[in-house]
């Protein structure tokens, strides 16, 4: 840091893993035990999966900054919301207090931490601590490798229009469809059009106590929770 900067607080983007409290890294746990301030994404009612995962390691008296994010906001991400969160975090950093932003899975794998990072990275020291992402956690829980040999793996947000999903699925060997939620039927229809429903596996809340996993064809509901994913291999089980 330059001579004019008296404080040397660090902002951590802290991956806390996909849900199982044992899937948090030793490094994340160590940092969590010593920072005086944490921030985390939460629902409008204050529920936070990232905080729940990290809970066993959060000390008494720690300052908490919930960043309340509407999951299905009309315009996402909400710039004003992250501006405000960044300002609050910056107040602590400016006073010399380290801040850890808890991130479900890995901070830089589709993580909302990127919006805080974008606002503060030029003025503050930031350390991103990778976490076990849902991508690898879902593959492990489903007992199916993500991709084999020269396979091209695509990560597809289910929020994409059906025609885009179809084109992307046609041009890859394996895919992970994330953010399934209320888009379940759209994704299932696209996979059916490509004859891939029988090659797709569904999983929700991977590695958590209430994990559910099954072949996509057996999913009996038309909407899934937000924390769900579909893994599919176009060529079948290519690793066999
Ligand atoms: C905004 S992305 C964040 C991903 C996260 N940063 C990570 O590294 O896994 C949220 C999506 O990740 C997937 N996801 C995250 N955790 C999951 C879990 N435990 N089980 C299944 N899917 C999960 C879901 O598809 C969800 O809609």
């Amino acid at each position: 840091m330059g001579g004019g900067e008296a404080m040397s607080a660090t902002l951590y983007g802290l991956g806390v893993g996909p849900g199982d409290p044992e899937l948090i890294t030793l490094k994340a746990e160590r940092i969590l035990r010593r920072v005086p301030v944490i921030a985390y994404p939460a629902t409008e009612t204050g529920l936070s999966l990232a905080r729940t995962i990290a809970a066993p390691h959060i000390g008494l008296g720690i300052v908490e900054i919930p960043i309340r994010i509407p999951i299905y906001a009309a315009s996402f991400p909400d710039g004003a919301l992250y501006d405000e969160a960044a300002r609050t975090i910056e107040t602590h950093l400016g006073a010399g207090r380290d801040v850890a932003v808890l991130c479900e899975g890995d901070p830089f794998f589709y993580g909302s931490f990127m919006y805080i990072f974008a606002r503060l990275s030029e003025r503050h020291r930031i350390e991103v601590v990778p976490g076990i992402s849902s991508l690898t956690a879902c593959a492990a829980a489903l007992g199916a490798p993500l991709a084999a040999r020269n396979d091209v793996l695509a990560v597809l947000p289910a929020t994409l229009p059906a025609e885009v999903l179809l084109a992307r699925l046609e041009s890859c060997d394996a895919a992970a469809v994330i953010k399934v939620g209320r888009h379940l039927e759209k994704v299932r229809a696209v996979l059916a059009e490509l004859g891939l429903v029988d090659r797709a596996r569904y999983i929700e809340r991977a590695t958590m106590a209430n994990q559910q996993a099954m072949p996509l064809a057996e999913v009996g509901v038309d909407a899934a929770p937000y924390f769900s994913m579909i893994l599919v291999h176009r060529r079948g089980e290519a690793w066999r």
Side-chain angles (χ1 to χ4, degrees), residues 17-19 49 103-112 131-135 137-138 177-181 203-208 225-230:
L49 177 57
C103 312
E104 193 264 341
D106 180 90
F108 276 174
F109 181 66
Y110 291 89
S112 58
I132 294 175
S133 83
S134 57
L135 191 59
C138 287
V177 183
I178 63 171
K179 303 184 182 181
V180 179
I203 183 159
E204 64 185 47
R205 302 187 182 94
T207 81
M208 302 179 209
Y226 178 69
F227 289 104
S228 61
M229 191 179 295
I230 293 168

Side-chain angles (χ1 to χ4, degrees), residues 21 29 32-33 51-59:
E29 188 207 339
L32 202 46
R33 287 195 183 280
R51 195 203 180 285
T52 303
I53 296 168
H57 315 295
I58 297 173

Side-chain angles (χ1 to χ4, degrees), residues 18 21 27 46 110 140 147 151 212:
K27 184 163 189 168
Y110 291 89
D151 282 351
Q212 298 278 335

Side-chain angles (χ1 to χ4, degrees), residues 1 5 9-11 86 89-91 93-94 119-127:
M1 300 193 85
E5 294 162 87
T10 300
L11 172 63
I89 289 169
E90 195 159 28
T91 305
L93 294 173
R119 284 162 173 78
L120 298 177
S121 63
E122 283 174 10
R123 294 192 298 281
H124 295 278
R125 181 166 56 209
I126 302 192
E127 190 179 329

